Amino acid sequence: MEKVITRNWGKPGSATIDGAIANGGYKAAEKAVKELDSKTIIETVKASGLRGRGGAGFPTGLKWSFVPQDTGKPIYLCVNADESEPGTFKDRFIMENDPHMLVEGVIIASKALNCHHAFIYIRGEFFQQTKIVKQAVKEAYAKGFLGKGIFGSDYELKVTVHNGFGAYICGEETGLINSLEGKKGQPRIKPPFPAVSGLYNCPTVVNNVESLCAVPWIINNGADAYKKTGTEKSPGTKLFSVSGHVNRPGVYEIPLGLPLTTFINDPAWAGGIWKGRKLKACIPGGSSVPVLTAPQCEGVNLDYESLAAAGTMLGSGGMIVMDETTDMVHMLKILAHFYAHESCGQCTPCRTGTHWAYEVMSRIDAGEGRMEDLDLLIRIADGMAGQTICVLADALAMPIKSFVPKFRAEFEAKIKRKAA
Amino acid sequence: MSDALFSDETLRQMKSAIEEYPSRASAILPVLQLAQKEKGWISPETIRFASELVGVPESRVVECVTFYTMFNQQPVGKYEINVCTNISCALVGGEEIYGHFCKKLGLKNNETTKDGLFTVRHVECLASCGSGPMALVNDEYIEHLTTEKVDQLIEEWRRKG
Ligand SMILES: Cc1cc2nc3c(=O)[nH]c(=O)nc-3n(C[C@H](O)[C@H](O)[C@H](O)COP(=O)(O)O)c2cc1C
Ligand code: SF4
Ligand code: FES
């Protein structure tokens, strides 16, 4: 497999602009700005089959094609570098190891969208990563790759690096837009979709860091070359960040379609379960997606369709691996706490549901639960899913509805222990 | 407007942050972040100052200060210790590390030591899940924490003061 995103990681100087240029960086941006028109870039990205890497998997080229070009309003690109989904730490590695690949992706996407002001929205806790990205942007300005008349053309692009300040919900695209406008990062009701009315009520595209980083390679090598890796409906490569009970936690670029158990066990990837123990469960795509039991992991491939067929999702590619000693009740309590803490509070089913679920999980975990609590949890989850402005409510409903039935005996045991 | 509230350098950076955006209101977060960097927390005077500088009602600034959890609404210790207790860190001992910090410093969540040196909090995922247990201390990520490492760090910070 040819590496698309991680190809320069670890090479000397790869985080500097001279290192990036020596590694072939900015060639695609120069080509896009000087030789390609908007339509050609969008068609190429569409043909590559690239799907958004931020969680929802929406085709990137298609998203770009929805932006109306004739409204007379400015068009904005927002880079989603808010990375706060538990288990996910891939965008951080991109920014640390190859920030110029992101800047190059931003230039090409902006050219495709006719955007002249792009924003890189980075979570506030990323003080160091923000410094790195700001430096990369500064270097790109100095070389004439950003600003007025870039690469000697008449195209102009301004890039602003903006920090969030501790709110997971700002990763949701309309929450991010509100936050950029200097408001609480509360998601907006859709429609209107950001493509039509986003930042400052102008046409806006929000893209994940990794999505944009695949674009320079696609422009350099063509859509067909990109499709050689991966599966038919999930082409290309994907970064997986793996954490929990494995020997080699970290960020790995894999061809989509790789068997899940190969990824967990192969010494080239996660390197097997730690301490010689057995796999108990795995959350393949970040904390919001349904958990798989060890037997369910067999025969599943890491691509959008195969994971959906297994009743879960690829999500952000943040894989959380749990060994046989893991207390699943306690883990679900932690997740309930997270979503209760991060609910923005606009929708009653989410605001009350996440807190109620956390209370119920707390008493079960403390050994003070009742058997009826297990059905109650499912009822709470049913009352949340699909009932709200954004999918944060679903993001807790899905773990509840997979943890409770799949590990029911463990929940019951904790409840019974106190009663005994 | 009392420009004297902040250093010339911070003021310069605040004003140039406002220039970055098509709308002044977008600069609320950057301005408050710069303010917190200098003062350590967001006081009522800072809120008033930011609302005048950016040109938005104070209520709008207050909304942001209370919504974004990284804004300190009261003074904090010189070392702000934010320990991740979310799922991936918990799987490798994040909760024990948080408990150890609290015990060693005699603090509960969000409390500050009397000498003004340390504040401890548990926080949600910091995107360092593969190198847990971890903590964000001021603006540095400290990864692969053990109780021994915590003891050493506290000793070192006490020595430095
Ligand atoms: C609660 C919530 C949190 C999200 N957090 C992130 C995030 O941290 N990073 C990200 O890229 N997308 C996140 N998303 C997805 C974004 O809304 C959006 O789909 C994505 O940024 C689009 O980019 P893509 O098409 O390139 O994937 C989140 C969605 C929700 C509902
Ligand atoms: S679902 Fe939750 S987080 Fe999303 S908008 Fe509603 S209250 Fe806010
Ligand atoms: S779970 Fe601790 S950093 Fe992600």
Side-chain angles (χ1 to χ4, degrees):
Chain A
M1 176 199 88
E2 196 175 334
K3 288 178 175 169
V4 174
I5 310 285
T6 61
R7 63 180 188 272
N8 301 325
W9 292 14
K11 289 186 190 165
S14 62
T16 66
I17 200 157
D18 291 328
I21 293 168
N23 293 331
Y26 290 104
K27 263 198 221 132
E30 183 166 9
K31 182 172 160 189
V33 168
K34 294 212 302 220
E35 296 166 29
L36 305 179
D37 60 13
S38 163
K39 207 165 155 232
T40 312
I41 302 171
I42 293 179
E43 287 309 316
T44 307
V45 174
K46 252 193 199 168
S48 75
L50 174 66
R51 299 175 63 165
R53 303 303 195 214
F58 194 81
T60 305
L62 192 60
K63 190 189 250 184
W64 295 357
S65 73
F66 290 156
V67 171
Q69 292 290 343
D70 54 1
T71 63
K73 291 182 182 177
I75 293 165
Y76 294 110
L77 171 69
C78 300
V79 182
N80 194 339
D82 192 57
E83 186 156 77
S84 311
E85 170 89 356
T88 313
F89 47 104
K90 65 186 179 73
D91 296 335
R92 170 188 165 196
F93 275 53
I94 293 178
M95 291 186 272
E96 288 170 6
N97 287 293
D98 202 344
H100 287 285
M101 188 180 273
L102 176 60
V103 176
E104 184 172 16
V106 168
I107 298 171
I108 301 168
S110 297
K111 177 72 197 299
L113 294 165
N114 286 313
C115 156
H116 298 288
H117 194 170
F119 296 86
I120 304 179
Y121 187 105
I122 307 181
R123 67 178 296 177
E125 293 89 341
F126 280 171
F127 292 98
Q128 306 305 328
Q129 292 77 4
T130 301
K131 261 191 215 161
I132 295 170
V133 173
K134 279 191 170 161
Q135 176 64 21
V137 167
K138 200 170 142 196
E139 288 174 0
Y141 270 109
K143 279 264 195 265
F145 298 172
L146 290 176
K148 283 203 171 80
I150 65 183
F151 299 107
S153 72
D154 57 4
Y155 182 61
E156 179 177 353
L157 177 62
K158 177 173 175 177
V159 172
T160 297
V161 178
H162 183 93
N163 281 119
F165 225 50
Y168 165 70
I169 197 58
C170 294
E172 196 279 341
E173 57 182 0
T174 58
L176 185 149
I177 288 169
N178 269 339
S179 179
L180 251 176
E181 291 183 0
K183 301 175 184 153
K184 295 192 273 189
Q186 293 184 314
R188 296 178 180 174
I189 294 170
K190 297 190 242 186
F193 288 92
V196 177
S197 180
L199 187 62
Y200 312 123
N201 296 325
C202 297
T204 301
V205 164
V206 181
N207 271 138
N208 172 260
V209 170
E210 184 188 351
S211 314
L212 292 171
C213 285
V215 172
W217 195 96
I218 292 168
I219 295 299
N220 278 327
N221 299 278
D224 289 339
Y226 189 72
K227 283 198 296 201
K228 284 207 181 99
T229 311
T231 69
E232 197 193 328
K233 287 188 177 152
S234 302
T237 68
K238 168 91 187 83
L239 295 190
F240 268 79
S241 52
V242 55
S243 60
H245 298 154
V246 292
N247 286 317
R248 284 164 42 88
V251 176
Y252 301 101
E253 183 169 8
I254 62 158
L256 281 167
L258 187 74
L260 193 157
T261 49
T262 305
F263 180 69
I264 291 183
N265 293 317
D266 197 293
W269 320 109
I273 307 299
W274 73 346
K275 301 181 180 176
R277 293 187 189 150
K278 285 201 198 74
L279 176 68
K280 179 174 189 173
C282 162
I283 303 176
S287 67
S288 304
V289 314
V291 65
L292 296 174
T293 64
Q296 285 180 322
C297 291
E298 301 290 334
V300 175
N301 296 335
L302 297 174
D303 59 66
Y304 295 94
E305 290 69 39
S306 181
L307 286 162
T312 184
M313 285 172 0
L314 183 100
S316 58
M319 187 185 287
I320 303 162
V321 177
M322 292 167 267
D323 76 16
E324 55 192 318
T325 69
T326 309
D327 179 343
M328 300 306 282
V329 179
H330 190 63
M331 290 307 135
L332 184 61
K333 183 187 101 169
I334 289 176
L335 292 182
H337 179 269
F338 171 68
Y339 292 102
H341 186 263
E342 301 299 333
S343 168
C344 84
Q346 285 188 103
C347 322
T348 308
C350 173
R351 183 182 61 246
T352 60
T354 51
H355 283 267
W356 191 9
Y358 172 62
E359 271 174 40
V360 175
M361 278 311 302
S362 295
R363 70 173 176 247
I364 299 177
D365 191 43
E368 277 150 21
R370 306 175 290 240
M371 273 311 163
E372 312 88 86
D373 283 345
L374 300 182
D375 293 336
L376 175 60
L377 279 171
I378 302 294
R379 273 211 310 281
I380 297 173
D382 282 336
M384 288 161 65
Q387 305 295 318
T388 51
I389 295 173
C390 86
V391 293
L392 185 131
D394 301 65
L396 175 59
M398 288 190 287
I400 292 176
K401 291 184 73 171
S402 55
F403 271 70
V404 176
K406 289 182 189 182
F407 299 95
R408 190 167 177 111
E410 222 173 289
F411 284 78
E412 289 184 354
K414 231 179 202 176
I415 293 170
K416 280 185 198 147
R417 206 172 302 149
K418 183 74 174 192
Chain B
M1 185 161 68
S2 60
D3 277 10
L5 203 54
F6 293 98
S7 68
D8 289 348
E9 176 55 19
T10 297
L11 260 177
R12 191 193 60 75
Q13 289 182 20
M14 287 173 169
K15 286 175 182 158
S16 93
I18 295 171
E19 298 296 309
E20 271 295 307
Y21 301 91
S23 148
R24 291 177 75 88
S26 284
I28 296 177
L29 256 60
V31 164
L32 289 172
Q33 286 159 0
L34 288 161
Q36 178 155 307
K37 196 168 150 200
E38 181 165 320
K39 301 275 190 221
W41 69 297
I42 305 295
S43 65
E45 293 79 56
T46 297
I47 289 174
R48 210 166 307 133
F49 172 85
S51 102
E52 281 176 32
L53 185 73
V54 179
V56 294
E58 271 183 48
S59 58
R60 181 87 181 265
V61 180
V62 172
E63 267 191 0
C64 288
V65 173
T66 51
F67 184 81
Y68 296 92
T69 57
M70 287 173 71
F71 287 122
N72 297 323
Q73 296 177 56
Q74 65 263 329
V76 291
K78 186 174 171 206
Y79 297 94
E80 277 183 78
I81 303 164
N82 300 288
V83 188
C84 174
T85 51
N86 211 307
I87 184 161
S88 302
C89 285
L91 286 170
V92 295
E95 293 167 301
E96 290 80 10
I97 294 296
Y98 167 68
H100 193 72
F101 266 116
C102 291
K103 199 174 88 201
K104 283 288 283 194
L105 298 170
L107 298 175
K108 292 204 200 64
N109 192 37
N110 232 343
E111 287 181 347
T112 301
T113 49
K114 285 213 184 68
D115 59 7
L117 219 44
F118 301 105
T119 301
V120 172
R121 300 186 194 101
H122 60 81
V123 295
E124 301 304 345
C125 178
L126 292 167
S128 195
C129 326
S131 32
M134 63 81 60
L136 167 67
V137 181
N138 298 344
D139 58 4
E140 262 350 297
Y141 275 26
I142 305 183
E143 302 172 309
H144 301 292
L145 287 167
T146 58
T147 49
E148 294 79 43
K149 205 161 154 184
V150 168
D151 293 345
Q152 279 168 21
L153 283 166
I154 292 177
E155 216 173 284
E156 194 184 310
W157 292 329
R158 280 217 171 104
R159 219 176 23 243
K160 277 198 214 151

